[in-house]
mmCIF file of all heavy atoms in Angstrom:
data_model
loop_
_atom_site.group_PDB
_atom_site.id
_atom_site.type_symbol
_atom_site.label_atom_id
_atom_site.label_comp_id
_atom_site.label_asym_id
_atom_site.label_seq_id
_atom_site.Cartn_x
_atom_site.Cartn_y
_atom_site.Cartn_z
ATOM 1 N N MET A 1 19.157 17.484 5.918
ATOM 2 C CA MET A 1 18.985 16.218 5.189
ATOM 3 C C MET A 1 18.466 16.506 3.782
ATOM 4 O O MET A 1 17.639 17.392 3.599
ATOM 5 C CB MET A 1 17.976 15.347 5.949
ATOM 6 C CG MET A 1 17.932 13.912 5.441
ATOM 7 S SD MET A 1 16.765 12.890 6.364
ATOM 8 C CE MET A 1 17.628 12.665 7.919
ATOM 9 N N ARG A 5 16.584 11.090 0.698
ATOM 10 C CA ARG A 5 16.418 10.118 1.779
ATOM 11 C C ARG A 5 14.994 10.132 2.318
ATOM 12 O O ARG A 5 14.417 9.097 2.642
ATOM 13 C CB ARG A 5 17.364 10.441 2.940
ATOM 14 C CG ARG A 5 18.820 10.192 2.646
ATOM 15 C CD ARG A 5 19.393 9.136 3.565
ATOM 16 N NE ARG A 5 18.661 7.898 3.413
ATOM 17 C CZ ARG A 5 18.821 7.055 2.402
ATOM 18 N NH1 ARG A 5 19.688 7.292 1.462
ATOM 19 N NH2 ARG A 5 18.098 5.951 2.324
ATOM 20 N N PHE A 9 12.446 6.874 2.289
ATOM 21 C CA PHE A 9 11.787 6.321 3.467
ATOM 22 C C PHE A 9 10.264 6.419 3.325
ATOM 23 O O PHE A 9 9.542 5.445 3.573
ATOM 24 C CB PHE A 9 12.261 7.050 4.723
ATOM 25 C CG PHE A 9 11.587 6.586 5.985
ATOM 26 C CD1 PHE A 9 11.855 5.329 6.493
ATOM 27 C CD2 PHE A 9 10.690 7.396 6.647
ATOM 28 C CE1 PHE A 9 11.235 4.885 7.664
ATOM 29 C CE2 PHE A 9 10.068 6.968 7.806
ATOM 30 C CZ PHE A 9 10.338 5.712 8.321
ATOM 31 N N GLY A 12 8.919 3.888 0.962
ATOM 32 C CA GLY A 12 8.869 2.571 1.585
ATOM 33 C C GLY A 12 7.632 2.422 2.445
ATOM 34 O O GLY A 12 6.925 1.411 2.368
ATOM 35 N N VAL A 13 7.351 3.441 3.248
ATOM 36 C CA VAL A 13 6.177 3.383 4.118
ATOM 37 C C VAL A 13 4.891 3.307 3.289
ATOM 38 O O VAL A 13 4.006 2.484 3.564
ATOM 39 C CB VAL A 13 6.149 4.594 5.073
ATOM 40 C CG1 VAL A 13 4.836 4.644 5.844
ATOM 41 C CG2 VAL A 13 7.323 4.535 6.035
ATOM 42 N N VAL A 16 4.567 -0.224 1.747
ATOM 43 C CA VAL A 16 4.159 -1.265 2.692
ATOM 44 C C VAL A 16 2.703 -1.058 3.104
ATOM 45 O O VAL A 16 1.910 -2.005 3.135
ATOM 46 C CB VAL A 16 5.065 -1.300 3.937
ATOM 47 C CG1 VAL A 16 4.678 -2.471 4.821
ATOM 48 C CG2 VAL A 16 6.518 -1.414 3.531
ATOM 49 N N ALA A 17 2.328 0.197 3.391
ATOM 50 C CA ALA A 17 0.963 0.475 3.844
ATOM 51 C C ALA A 17 -0.050 0.050 2.790
ATOM 52 O O ALA A 17 -1.100 -0.528 3.111
ATOM 53 C CB ALA A 17 0.797 1.961 4.168
ATOM 54 N N PHE A 23 -4.392 -7.799 3.410
ATOM 55 C CA PHE A 23 -4.820 -8.596 4.563
ATOM 56 C C PHE A 23 -6.317 -8.465 4.804
ATOM 57 O O PHE A 23 -6.938 -9.349 5.392
ATOM 58 C CB PHE A 23 -4.036 -8.202 5.823
ATOM 59 C CG PHE A 23 -2.618 -8.694 5.797
ATOM 60 C CD1 PHE A 23 -1.589 -7.860 5.414
ATOM 61 C CD2 PHE A 23 -2.332 -10.008 6.114
ATOM 62 C CE1 PHE A 23 -0.284 -8.318 5.366
ATOM 63 C CE2 PHE A 23 -1.028 -10.476 6.075
ATOM 64 C CZ PHE A 23 0.003 -9.629 5.696
ATOM 65 N N ARG A 74 14.383 19.847 10.103
ATOM 66 C CA ARG A 74 13.797 19.049 11.185
ATOM 67 C C ARG A 74 12.275 19.215 11.307
ATOM 68 O O ARG A 74 11.563 18.211 11.394
ATOM 69 C CB ARG A 74 14.499 19.415 12.515
ATOM 70 C CG ARG A 74 14.306 18.374 13.608
ATOM 71 C CD ARG A 74 15.303 17.255 13.489
ATOM 72 N NE ARG A 74 15.180 16.256 14.538
ATOM 73 C CZ ARG A 74 15.963 15.191 14.638
ATOM 74 N NH1 ARG A 74 16.933 14.988 13.757
ATOM 75 N NH2 ARG A 74 15.801 14.315 15.586
ATOM 76 N N LEU A 77 10.587 17.186 8.693
ATOM 77 C CA LEU A 77 10.698 15.748 8.952
ATOM 78 C C LEU A 77 9.667 15.295 9.972
ATOM 79 O O LEU A 77 9.059 14.231 9.843
ATOM 80 C CB LEU A 77 12.108 15.411 9.456
ATOM 81 C CG LEU A 77 13.210 15.428 8.397
ATOM 82 C CD1 LEU A 77 14.587 15.349 9.054
ATOM 83 C CD2 LEU A 77 13.040 14.272 7.420
ATOM 84 N N ILE A 78 9.455 16.115 11.006
ATOM 85 C CA ILE A 78 8.475 15.764 12.043
ATOM 86 C C ILE A 78 7.063 15.804 11.457
ATOM 87 O O ILE A 78 6.257 14.896 11.679
ATOM 88 C CB ILE A 78 8.599 16.723 13.253
ATOM 89 C CG1 ILE A 78 10.031 16.718 13.826
ATOM 90 C CG2 ILE A 78 7.576 16.358 14.336
ATOM 91 C CD1 ILE A 78 10.465 15.420 14.428
ATOM 92 N N LEU A 81 6.463 12.842 9.458
ATOM 93 C CA LEU A 81 6.240 11.675 10.317
ATOM 94 C C LEU A 81 4.771 11.574 10.724
ATOM 95 O O LEU A 81 4.185 10.481 10.717
ATOM 96 C CB LEU A 81 7.127 11.805 11.559
ATOM 97 C CG LEU A 81 7.758 10.527 12.101
ATOM 98 C CD1 LEU A 81 8.506 9.787 11.024
ATOM 99 C CD2 LEU A 81 8.711 10.875 13.242
ATOM 100 N N PHE A 82 4.168 12.705 11.066
ATOM 101 C CA PHE A 82 2.753 12.681 11.437
ATOM 102 C C PHE A 82 1.875 12.332 10.232
ATOM 103 O O PHE A 82 0.875 11.623 10.361
ATOM 104 C CB PHE A 82 2.335 14.024 12.057
ATOM 105 C CG PHE A 82 2.705 14.134 13.504
ATOM 106 C CD1 PHE A 82 3.862 14.781 13.902
ATOM 107 C CD2 PHE A 82 1.897 13.564 14.482
ATOM 108 C CE1 PHE A 82 4.219 14.854 15.244
ATOM 109 C CE2 PHE A 82 2.244 13.651 15.823
ATOM 110 C CZ PHE A 82 3.412 14.294 16.204
ATOM 111 N N LEU A 84 2.786 10.397 7.735
ATOM 112 C CA LEU A 84 2.920 8.961 7.519
ATOM 113 C C LEU A 84 2.173 8.161 8.588
ATOM 114 O O LEU A 84 1.684 7.067 8.325
ATOM 115 C CB LEU A 84 4.399 8.559 7.506
ATOM 116 C CG LEU A 84 5.235 9.109 6.348
ATOM 117 C CD1 LEU A 84 6.689 8.686 6.500
ATOM 118 C CD2 LEU A 84 4.707 8.644 5.004
ATOM 119 N N MET A 85 2.090 8.721 9.803
ATOM 120 C CA MET A 85 1.346 8.038 10.866
ATOM 121 C C MET A 85 -0.104 7.857 10.446
ATOM 122 O O MET A 85 -0.719 6.823 10.760
ATOM 123 C CB MET A 85 1.409 8.849 12.163
ATOM 124 C CG MET A 85 1.002 8.031 13.378
ATOM 125 S SD MET A 85 0.672 9.035 14.831
ATOM 126 C CE MET A 85 2.321 9.509 15.325
ATOM 127 N N VAL A 88 -0.133 5.108 7.433
ATOM 128 C CA VAL A 88 0.038 3.740 7.921
ATOM 129 C C VAL A 88 -1.242 3.238 8.595
ATOM 130 O O VAL A 88 -1.539 2.041 8.566
ATOM 131 C CB VAL A 88 1.238 3.668 8.899
ATOM 132 C CG1 VAL A 88 1.238 2.380 9.691
ATOM 133 C CG2 VAL A 88 2.539 3.797 8.126
ATOM 134 N N ALA A 89 -2.029 4.161 9.161
ATOM 135 C CA ALA A 89 -3.239 3.752 9.884
ATOM 136 C C ALA A 89 -4.390 3.395 8.957
ATOM 137 O O ALA A 89 -5.355 2.767 9.393
ATOM 138 C CB ALA A 89 -3.669 4.860 10.850
ATOM 139 N N PRO A 91 -5.157 1.067 6.753
ATOM 140 C CA PRO A 91 -5.727 -0.292 6.745
ATOM 141 C C PRO A 91 -6.649 -0.585 7.931
ATOM 142 O O PRO A 91 -7.484 -1.486 7.856
ATOM 143 C CB PRO A 91 -4.486 -1.199 6.799
ATOM 144 C CG PRO A 91 -3.391 -0.379 6.208
ATOM 145 C CD PRO A 91 -3.692 1.037 6.628
ATOM 146 N N TRP A 92 -6.501 0.173 9.009
ATOM 147 C CA TRP A 92 -7.332 -0.051 10.192
ATOM 148 C C TRP A 92 -8.805 0.293 9.926
ATOM 149 O O TRP A 92 -9.674 -0.586 9.999
ATOM 150 C CB TRP A 92 -6.720 0.689 11.387
ATOM 151 C CG TRP A 92 -7.617 0.919 12.539
ATOM 152 C CD1 TRP A 92 -8.370 -0.015 13.192
ATOM 153 C CD2 TRP A 92 -7.873 2.168 13.180
ATOM 154 N NE1 TRP A 92 -9.076 0.586 14.201
ATOM 155 C CE2 TRP A 92 -8.790 1.918 14.224
ATOM 156 C CE3 TRP A 92 -7.418 3.460 12.991
ATOM 157 C CZ2 TRP A 92 -9.257 2.923 15.059
ATOM 158 C CZ3 TRP A 92 -7.864 4.458 13.814
ATOM 159 C CH2 TRP A 92 -8.787 4.203 14.835
ATOM 160 N N THR A 95 -10.418 -2.092 7.408
ATOM 161 C CA THR A 95 -10.924 -3.355 7.947
ATOM 162 C C THR A 95 -12.268 -3.154 8.635
ATOM 163 O O THR A 95 -13.179 -3.977 8.498
ATOM 164 C CB THR A 95 -9.908 -3.937 8.951
ATOM 165 O OG1 THR A 95 -8.644 -3.979 8.317
ATOM 166 C CG2 THR A 95 -10.311 -5.326 9.388
ATOM 167 N N LEU A 96 -12.389 -2.048 9.376
ATOM 168 C CA LEU A 96 -13.668 -1.760 10.034
ATOM 169 C C LEU A 96 -14.790 -1.664 9.011
ATOM 170 O O LEU A 96 -15.874 -2.237 9.195
ATOM 171 C CB LEU A 96 -13.582 -0.442 10.819
ATOM 172 C CG LEU A 96 -12.702 -0.437 12.082
ATOM 173 C CD1 LEU A 96 -12.656 0.955 12.684
ATOM 174 C CD2 LEU A 96 -13.239 -1.444 13.101
ATOM 175 N N HIS A 100 -18.140 -4.147 8.394
ATOM 176 C CA HIS A 100 -19.424 -3.608 8.827
ATOM 177 C C HIS A 100 -20.213 -2.875 7.756
ATOM 178 O O HIS A 100 -21.313 -2.406 8.053
ATOM 179 C CB HIS A 100 -19.209 -2.655 10.016
ATOM 180 C CG HIS A 100 -18.586 -3.324 11.192
ATOM 181 N ND1 HIS A 100 -19.319 -4.087 12.077
ATOM 182 C CD2 HIS A 100 -17.306 -3.400 11.609
ATOM 183 C CE1 HIS A 100 -18.516 -4.579 13.005
ATOM 184 N NE2 HIS A 100 -17.282 -4.185 12.741
ATOM 185 N N ALA A 107 -19.954 4.011 12.611
ATOM 186 C CA ALA A 107 -18.701 4.268 13.318
ATOM 187 C C ALA A 107 -17.498 3.946 12.426
ATOM 188 O O ALA A 107 -16.468 4.620 12.471
ATOM 189 C CB ALA A 107 -18.641 3.446 14.598
ATOM 190 N N THR A 111 -14.688 6.714 11.317
ATOM 191 C CA THR A 111 -13.269 6.513 11.597
ATOM 192 C C THR A 111 -12.447 6.639 10.317
ATOM 193 O O THR A 111 -11.403 7.300 10.287
ATOM 194 C CB THR A 111 -13.034 5.109 12.202
ATOM 195 O OG1 THR A 111 -13.935 4.929 13.291
ATOM 196 C CG2 THR A 111 -11.614 4.961 12.697
ATOM 197 N N ASP A 216 18.658 23.842 9.602
ATOM 198 C CA ASP A 216 18.937 22.984 10.758
ATOM 199 C C ASP A 216 19.110 21.554 10.271
ATOM 200 O O ASP A 216 18.573 21.174 9.245
ATOM 201 C CB ASP A 216 17.764 23.056 11.743
ATOM 202 C CG ASP A 216 18.121 22.414 13.070
ATOM 203 O OD1 ASP A 216 19.318 22.097 13.259
ATOM 204 O OD2 ASP A 216 17.219 22.239 13.884
ATOM 205 N N LEU A 217 19.801 20.752 11.017
ATOM 206 C CA LEU A 217 20.108 19.334 10.678
ATOM 207 C C LEU A 217 20.838 19.254 9.369
ATOM 208 O O LEU A 217 20.231 19.177 8.292
ATOM 209 C CB LEU A 217 18.833 18.478 10.575
ATOM 210 C CG LEU A 217 19.153 17.006 10.308
ATOM 211 C CD1 LEU A 217 19.575 16.342 11.576
ATOM 212 C CD2 LEU A 217 18.003 16.258 9.683
ATOM 213 N N GLU B 7 22.240 2.270 4.111
ATOM 214 C CA GLU B 7 21.109 3.148 4.379
ATOM 215 C C GLU B 7 19.846 2.634 3.713
ATOM 216 O O GLU B 7 18.769 2.634 4.318
ATOM 217 C CB GLU B 7 21.401 4.559 3.857
ATOM 218 C CG GLU B 7 22.086 5.440 4.878
ATOM 219 C CD GLU B 7 21.942 6.889 4.493
ATOM 220 O OE1 GLU B 7 22.040 7.201 3.298
ATOM 221 O OE2 GLU B 7 21.747 7.719 5.388
ATOM 222 N N ASP B 11 16.705 1.680 5.785
ATOM 223 C CA ASP B 11 15.467 2.415 5.512
ATOM 224 C C ASP B 11 14.311 1.466 5.276
ATOM 225 O O ASP B 11 13.199 1.677 5.785
ATOM 226 C CB ASP B 11 15.627 3.268 4.246
ATOM 227 C CG ASP B 11 16.262 4.598 4.557
ATOM 228 O OD1 ASP B 11 16.689 4.796 5.707
ATOM 229 O OD2 ASP B 11 16.337 5.429 3.652
ATOM 230 N N PHE B 14 13.280 -0.073 8.610
ATOM 231 C CA PHE B 14 12.538 0.916 9.403
ATOM 232 C C PHE B 14 11.126 1.109 8.831
ATOM 233 O O PHE B 14 10.142 1.148 9.585
ATOM 234 C CB PHE B 14 13.265 2.270 9.407
ATOM 235 C CG PHE B 14 14.307 2.421 10.471
ATOM 236 C CD1 PHE B 14 15.650 2.248 10.192
ATOM 237 C CD2 PHE B 14 13.952 2.755 11.765
ATOM 238 C CE1 PHE B 14 16.623 2.388 11.174
ATOM 239 C CE2 PHE B 14 14.910 2.910 12.756
ATOM 240 C CZ PHE B 14 16.249 2.722 12.461
ATOM 241 N N ALA B 15 11.029 1.230 7.503
ATOM 242 C CA ALA B 15 9.725 1.491 6.869
ATOM 243 C C ALA B 15 8.759 0.343 7.119
ATOM 244 O O ALA B 15 7.582 0.568 7.417
ATOM 245 C CB ALA B 15 9.908 1.719 5.362
ATOM 246 N N THR B 19 5.380 0.258 9.714
ATOM 247 C CA THR B 19 4.071 -0.030 9.126
ATOM 248 C C THR B 19 3.411 -1.224 9.797
ATOM 249 O O THR B 19 2.185 -1.312 9.881
ATOM 250 C CB THR B 19 4.204 -0.285 7.612
ATOM 251 O OG1 THR B 19 5.061 0.692 7.056
ATOM 252 C CG2 THR B 19 2.865 -0.221 6.929
ATOM 253 N N VAL B 22 0.522 -1.055 12.441
ATOM 254 C CA VAL B 22 -0.914 -0.966 12.188
ATOM 255 C C VAL B 22 -1.626 -2.256 12.584
ATOM 256 O O VAL B 22 -2.817 -2.232 12.918
ATOM 257 C CB VAL B 22 -1.208 -0.625 10.711
ATOM 258 C CG1 VAL B 22 -0.958 -1.819 9.790
ATOM 259 C CG2 VAL B 22 -2.644 -0.162 10.553
ATOM 260 N N PHE B 23 -0.919 -3.394 12.585
ATOM 261 C CA PHE B 23 -1.563 -4.645 12.973
ATOM 262 C C PHE B 23 -2.046 -4.596 14.421
ATOM 263 O O PHE B 23 -2.972 -5.314 14.791
ATOM 264 C CB PHE B 23 -0.623 -5.839 12.757
ATOM 265 C CG PHE B 23 -0.439 -6.180 11.312
ATOM 266 C CD1 PHE B 23 0.664 -5.737 10.607
ATOM 267 C CD2 PHE B 23 -1.399 -6.922 10.650
ATOM 268 C CE1 PHE B 23 0.816 -6.033 9.258
ATOM 269 C CE2 PHE B 23 -1.258 -7.228 9.305
ATOM 270 C CZ PHE B 23 -0.140 -6.776 8.606
ATOM 271 N N LEU B 25 -3.582 -2.144 15.593
ATOM 272 C CA LEU B 25 -4.847 -1.396 15.597
ATOM 273 C C LEU B 25 -6.020 -2.238 15.109
ATOM 274 O O LEU B 25 -7.170 -1.970 15.450
ATOM 275 C CB LEU B 25 -4.740 -0.166 14.684
ATOM 276 C CG LEU B 25 -3.874 0.999 15.135
ATOM 277 C CD1 LEU B 25 -3.871 2.081 14.068
ATOM 278 C CD2 LEU B 25 -4.390 1.580 16.444
ATOM 279 N N LEU B 26 -5.729 -3.256 14.298
ATOM 280 C CA LEU B 26 -6.805 -4.023 13.660
ATOM 281 C C LEU B 26 -7.719 -4.673 14.691
ATOM 282 O O LEU B 26 -7.272 -5.157 15.729
ATOM 283 C CB LEU B 26 -6.220 -5.089 12.736
ATOM 284 C CG LEU B 26 -5.362 -4.562 11.588
ATOM 285 C CD1 LEU B 26 -4.974 -5.684 10.644
ATOM 286 C CD2 LEU B 26 -6.091 -3.474 10.807
ATOM 287 N N GLY B 31 -17.166 -7.755 16.356
ATOM 288 C CA GLY B 31 -18.527 -7.642 16.867
ATOM 289 C C GLY B 31 -19.283 -6.519 16.177
ATOM 290 O O GLY B 31 -18.762 -5.817 15.307
ATOM 291 N N VAL B 34 -19.321 -1.396 16.828
ATOM 292 C CA VAL B 34 -18.046 -0.837 16.431
ATOM 293 C C VAL B 34 -17.628 0.320 17.324
ATOM 294 O O VAL B 34 -16.520 0.331 17.867
ATOM 295 C CB VAL B 34 -18.083 -0.341 14.971
ATOM 296 C CG1 VAL B 34 -16.679 -0.155 14.449
ATOM 297 C CG2 VAL B 34 -18.870 -1.293 14.112
ATOM 298 N N ALA B 35 -18.521 1.289 17.469
ATOM 299 C CA ALA B 35 -18.163 2.509 18.174
ATOM 300 C C ALA B 35 -17.700 2.191 19.600
ATOM 301 O O ALA B 35 -16.683 2.692 20.071
ATOM 302 C CB ALA B 35 -19.351 3.467 18.194
ATOM 303 N N GLU B 38 -14.383 0.559 19.727
ATOM 304 C CA GLU B 38 -13.303 1.481 19.406
ATOM 305 C C GLU B 38 -12.922 2.356 20.591
ATOM 306 O O GLU B 38 -11.752 2.674 20.774
ATOM 307 C CB GLU B 38 -13.713 2.365 18.229
ATOM 308 C CG GLU B 38 -13.548 1.659 16.897
ATOM 309 C CD GLU B 38 -13.818 2.606 15.760
ATOM 310 O OE1 GLU B 38 -13.093 3.614 15.653
ATOM 311 O OE2 GLU B 38 -14.759 2.369 14.993
ATOM 312 N N TYR B 45 -4.412 2.849 20.785
ATOM 313 C CA TYR B 45 -4.053 4.102 20.114
ATOM 314 C C TYR B 45 -2.832 4.718 20.775
ATOM 315 O O TYR B 45 -1.937 5.219 20.102
ATOM 316 C CB TYR B 45 -5.233 5.076 20.101
ATOM 317 C CG TYR B 45 -6.525 4.440 19.657
ATOM 318 C CD1 TYR B 45 -7.728 4.719 20.279
ATOM 319 C CD2 TYR B 45 -6.531 3.516 18.614
ATOM 320 C CE1 TYR B 45 -8.909 4.115 19.874
ATOM 321 C CE2 TYR B 45 -7.708 2.896 18.200
ATOM 322 C CZ TYR B 45 -8.882 3.200 18.839
ATOM 323 O OH TYR B 45 -10.042 2.592 18.445
ATOM 324 N N TYR B 48 0.104 2.715 19.666
ATOM 325 C CA TYR B 48 0.424 2.987 18.262
ATOM 326 C C TYR B 48 1.169 4.307 18.116
ATOM 327 O O TYR B 48 2.218 4.378 17.471
ATOM 328 C CB TYR B 48 -0.872 3.017 17.441
ATOM 329 C CG TYR B 48 -0.697 3.403 15.999
ATOM 330 C CD1 TYR B 48 -0.145 2.515 15.081
ATOM 331 C CD2 TYR B 48 -1.080 4.663 15.530
ATOM 332 C CE1 TYR B 48 0.004 2.854 13.745
ATOM 333 C CE2 TYR B 48 -0.937 5.012 14.199
ATOM 334 C CZ TYR B 48 -0.392 4.108 13.312
ATOM 335 O OH TYR B 48 -0.225 4.455 11.999
ATOM 336 N N PHE B 52 5.004 4.588 17.023
ATOM 337 C CA PHE B 52 5.242 5.188 15.708
ATOM 338 C C PHE B 52 6.239 6.331 15.829
ATOM 339 O O PHE B 52 7.214 6.408 15.070
ATOM 340 C CB PHE B 52 3.923 5.700 15.106
ATOM 341 C CG PHE B 52 4.013 5.955 13.631
ATOM 342 C CD1 PHE B 52 3.540 5.025 12.719
ATOM 343 C CD2 PHE B 52 4.606 7.111 13.131
ATOM 344 C CE1 PHE B 52 3.639 5.244 11.349
ATOM 345 C CE2 PHE B 52 4.718 7.335 11.773
ATOM 346 C CZ PHE B 52 4.233 6.405 10.878
ATOM 347 N N LEU B 53 6.023 7.210 16.811
ATOM 348 C CA LEU B 53 6.944 8.337 16.982
ATOM 349 C C LEU B 53 8.330 7.829 17.362
ATOM 350 O O LEU B 53 9.345 8.359 16.901
ATOM 351 C CB LEU B 53 6.403 9.307 18.032
ATOM 352 C CG LEU B 53 5.138 10.063 17.612
ATOM 353 C CD1 LEU B 53 4.708 11.021 18.710
ATOM 354 C CD2 LEU B 53 5.365 10.830 16.317
ATOM 355 N N GLY B 56 9.957 6.389 14.306
ATOM 356 C CA GLY B 56 10.209 7.508 13.395
ATOM 357 C C GLY B 56 11.436 8.298 13.805
ATOM 358 O O GLY B 56 12.290 8.634 12.981
ATOM 359 N N TRP B 59 14.591 6.455 13.203
ATOM 360 C CA TRP B 59 14.988 6.535 11.808
ATOM 361 C C TRP B 59 15.762 7.833 11.557
ATOM 362 O O TRP B 59 16.821 7.826 10.928
ATOM 363 C CB TRP B 59 13.768 6.453 10.883
ATOM 364 C CG TRP B 59 14.109 6.742 9.458
ATOM 365 C CD1 TRP B 59 14.814 5.931 8.620
ATOM 366 C CD2 TRP B 59 13.819 7.918 8.718
ATOM 367 N NE1 TRP B 59 14.965 6.546 7.393
ATOM 368 C CE2 TRP B 59 14.364 7.765 7.432
ATOM 369 C CE3 TRP B 59 13.144 9.113 9.030
ATOM 370 C CZ2 TRP B 59 14.259 8.747 6.450
ATOM 371 C CZ3 TRP B 59 13.035 10.081 8.049
ATOM 372 C CH2 TRP B 59 13.588 9.899 6.779
ATOM 373 N N LEU B 60 15.237 8.938 12.093
ATOM 374 C CA LEU B 60 15.927 10.216 11.920
ATOM 375 C C LEU B 60 17.336 10.138 12.498
ATOM 376 O O LEU B 60 18.315 10.563 11.870
ATOM 377 C CB LEU B 60 15.155 11.343 12.613
ATOM 378 C CG LEU B 60 13.813 11.735 12.004
ATOM 379 C CD1 LEU B 60 13.204 12.896 12.788
ATOM 380 C CD2 LEU B 60 13.987 12.147 10.559
ATOM 381 N N ASN B 61 17.451 9.579 13.701
ATOM 382 C CA ASN B 61 18.760 9.514 14.352
ATOM 383 C C ASN B 61 19.700 8.550 13.638
ATOM 384 O O ASN B 61 20.913 8.762 13.612
ATOM 385 C CB ASN B 61 18.596 9.106 15.819
ATOM 386 C CG ASN B 61 17.995 10.230 16.637
ATOM 387 O OD1 ASN B 61 18.135 11.404 16.274
ATOM 388 N ND2 ASN B 61 17.313 9.882 17.712
ATOM 389 N N HIS B 63 19.894 8.119 10.504
ATOM 390 C CA HIS B 63 20.483 8.830 9.374
ATOM 391 C C HIS B 63 21.568 9.785 9.814
ATOM 392 O O HIS B 63 22.600 9.903 9.153
ATOM 393 C CB HIS B 63 19.409 9.581 8.599
ATOM 394 C CG HIS B 63 18.783 8.679 7.622
ATOM 395 N ND1 HIS B 63 19.508 8.130 6.592
ATOM 396 C CD2 HIS B 63 17.559 8.162 7.542
ATOM 397 C CE1 HIS B 63 18.730 7.329 5.910
ATOM 398 N NE2 HIS B 63 17.541 7.317 6.469
ATOM 399 N N TYR B 185 13.321 13.910 21.263
ATOM 400 C CA TYR B 185 14.183 13.763 20.088
ATOM 401 C C TYR B 185 13.675 14.518 18.868
ATOM 402 O O TYR B 185 14.344 14.570 17.849
ATOM 403 C CB TYR B 185 14.414 12.286 19.760
ATOM 404 C CG TYR B 185 15.468 11.662 20.640
ATOM 405 C CD1 TYR B 185 15.142 10.682 21.555
ATOM 406 C CD2 TYR B 185 16.799 12.078 20.548
ATOM 407 C CE1 TYR B 185 16.105 10.112 22.371
ATOM 408 C CE2 TYR B 185 17.767 11.518 21.357
ATOM 409 C CZ TYR B 185 17.415 10.536 22.272
ATOM 410 O OH TYR B 185 18.385 9.992 23.071
ATOM 411 N N PHE B 186 12.457 15.087 18.965
ATOM 412 C CA PHE B 186 12.061 16.023 17.903
ATOM 413 C C PHE B 186 13.097 17.151 17.839
ATOM 414 O O PHE B 186 13.396 17.674 16.785
ATOM 415 C CB PHE B 186 10.703 16.677 18.209
ATOM 416 C CG PHE B 186 9.520 15.802 18.000
ATOM 417 C CD1 PHE B 186 9.645 14.453 17.702
ATOM 418 C CD2 PHE B 186 8.241 16.332 18.078
ATOM 419 C CE1 PHE B 186 8.531 13.645 17.501
ATOM 420 C CE2 PHE B 186 7.117 15.541 17.871
ATOM 421 C CZ PHE B 186 7.267 14.198 17.585
ATOM 422 N N GLU B 188 16.240 17.246 19.929
ATOM 423 C CA GLU B 188 17.619 16.902 20.224
ATOM 424 C C GLU B 188 18.143 15.919 19.197
ATOM 425 O O GLU B 188 17.491 14.939 18.878
ATOM 426 C CB GLU B 188 17.689 16.246 21.608
ATOM 427 C CG GLU B 188 19.052 16.222 22.194
ATOM 428 C CD GLU B 188 19.629 17.608 22.364
ATOM 429 O OE1 GLU B 188 18.869 18.523 22.736
ATOM 430 O OE2 GLU B 188 20.837 17.786 22.101
ATOM 431 N N HIS B 189 19.327 16.173 18.676
ATOM 432 C CA HIS B 189 19.871 15.206 17.726
ATOM 433 C C HIS B 189 21.391 15.289 17.698
ATOM 434 O O HIS B 189 21.996 16.193 18.262
ATOM 435 C CB HIS B 189 19.286 15.413 16.336
ATOM 436 C CG HIS B 189 19.201 16.849 15.917
ATOM 437 N ND1 HIS B 189 20.235 17.491 15.343
ATOM 438 C CD2 HIS B 189 18.191 17.734 16.050
ATOM 439 C CE1 HIS B 189 19.868 18.746 15.103
ATOM 440 N NE2 HIS B 189 18.650 18.919 15.523
#
Side-chain angles (χ1 to χ4, degrees):
Chain A
M1 192 179 287
R5 290 242 59 78
F9 177 70
V13 172
V16 185
F23 287 98
R74 198 84 178 181
L77 286 169
I78 304 295
L81 218 53
F82 279 97
L84 294 177
M85 196 194 286
V88 165
W92 162 52
T95 308
L96 290 176
H100 300 280
T111 309
D216 191 10
L217 183 79
Chain B
E7 271 198 320
D11 275 7
F14 273 100
T19 316
V22 74
F23 287 98
L25 289 178
L26 299 187
V34 197
E38 280 186 61
Y45 312 139
Y48 175 74
F52 197 99
L53 292 181
W59 171 72
L60 291 182
N61 288 334
H63 275 297
Y185 280 113
F186 285 7
E188 197 60 39
H189 43 86

